[in-house]
Amino acid sequence: MNICQRAGLLSALIAFFMFSTTTIAQENNQGDNRTVLTKVQSLDLPTVREGVVVHYKPGYKERAEKLGPLLNDAIQFFKKELGIEQHFHLALVDSLDWIQISSSPYGLPHVSGMNDKDPPVAVLPVIGDGTVYDFMVSLENNFSKNLRQRIQNTGYSWEEISGIMVDLVSLHELGHVYKNAYGIGEPALWFNELMANYFSYLYMYQERPEMAEIWDITGHAIQEGYEPHYYTLEDFEKRYVKVGVSNYAWYQSAFEIKANPLVEKHGLSFVKTMKEVFPSGIGKIESEKVLEELEADYPGFKEWAQGFKRQ
């Protein structure tokens, strides 16, 4: 068994273990109707307030003080550009606290709560570790020469980029919050994720170009380094996160690679068009019809979707 195979096996075992532990946590917490924010507050973690309220594991104040201002900067960007003022919490927790507040595998960043009764809370690992980080590190031996050069040009090692990427997913989670707050609906799960990526890259591209480059690199790295088991949009709609951590990351990278050039070409105009085409409350629509609507104003979506049927 070569290094790449061992890394892949390790990632799979970690993913299996975390899915198992979160299943146990779900079973133990049946009937717990508390909001995620209430669960986080019950952990009695220290907090810092940097526009967002960051709840962090003791000993990791420096990381909280790093991510808080980043998210606050993004919040101020969207307030200026879209006129939306959004309140937001971030929880930086270890694996033991994670299963007390989330049913997702440890290290898979996500956002929970999207309304006044259940305020949005992004949940991230307390350090750049967990299933997503381990998966990213395992890809390194599979990159093209061009991608290796892009990685080298950043001045970071691949391990460092993998850790940074986990942090940047917090901006993707913020993207979910703003997509909903702005009034864009959810005609399909893949569209929802593509839009979260669009919002996050829009901020990075305009305000943090060095982060935009790292974000784009990680998307291409996953596409080059991982061969998915599930690969159609239909699979994603049917299974969503149940495709597994690695396969889910592959889908997200495909959405990133589509969203990023759209950001660079259309900026905020795409966001405004999506609000008109897919307003809040629109309900679920067949993927083919969603693609037809997108294709009308932004040719290339149907060709992009064909890529999911390549195998």
Side-chain angles (χ1 to χ4, degrees), residues 226-275:
Y226 177 74
E227 189 66 27
H229 179 70
Y230 300 105
Y231 52 84
T232 68
L233 292 179
E234 290 74 19
D235 284 335
F236 190 77
E237 290 301 303
K238 181 179 179 181
R239 299 176 182 275
Y240 197 41
V241 296
K242 292 182 180 179
V243 297
V245 173
S246 301
N247 213 145
Y248 184 75
W250 178 86
Y251 274 111
Q252 289 288 3
S253 68
F255 304 149
E256 290 169 26
I257 289 172
K258 180 59 180 175
N260 294 358
L262 286 170
V263 168
E264 295 170 11
K265 185 175 181 180
H266 300 290
L268 277 169
S269 67
F270 181 82
V271 171
K272 295 175 180 179
T273 300
M274 292 304 99
K275 183 177 180 178

Side-chain angles (χ1 to χ4, degrees), residues 15-30 32 36 39 93 95-112 123 131 240-242 245:
F16 174 78
F17 172 75
M18 292 312 304
F19 272 118
S20 299
T21 56
T22 51
T23 298
I24 293 170
Q26 283 182 297
E27 292 173 350
N28 289 339
N29 290 315
Q30 285 183 352
D32 187 347
V36 174
K39 292 177 182 179
V93 294
S95 57
L96 294 178
D97 284 341
W98 186 286
I99 63 175
Q100 302 303 315
I101 62 175
S102 175
S103 60
S104 296
Y106 176 66
L108 181 62
H110 60 283
V111 66
S112 299
V123 183
T131 55
Y240 197 41
V241 296
K242 292 182 180 179
V245 173

Side-chain angles (χ1 to χ4, degrees), residues 73-139:
D73 190 44
I75 287 171
Q76 296 308 312
F77 169 79
F78 288 117
K79 180 180 179 181
K80 175 184 175 183
E81 298 296 338
L82 299 177
I84 300 173
E85 187 166 4
Q86 190 67 40
H87 300 288
F88 191 71
H89 289 254
L90 173 64
L92 300 175
V93 294
D94 62 15
S95 57
L96 294 178
D97 284 341
W98 186 286
I99 63 175
Q100 302 303 315
I101 62 175
S102 175
S103 60
S104 296
Y106 176 66
L108 181 62
H110 60 283
V111 66
S112 299
M114 288 291 182
N115 53 61
D116 292 336
K117 292 183 179 179
D118 192 5
V121 181
V123 183
L124 269 70
V126 71
I127 57 174
D129 67 350
T131 55
V132 173
Y133 173 81
D134 293 330
F135 165 67
M136 295 299 294
V137 170
S138 75
L139 302 176

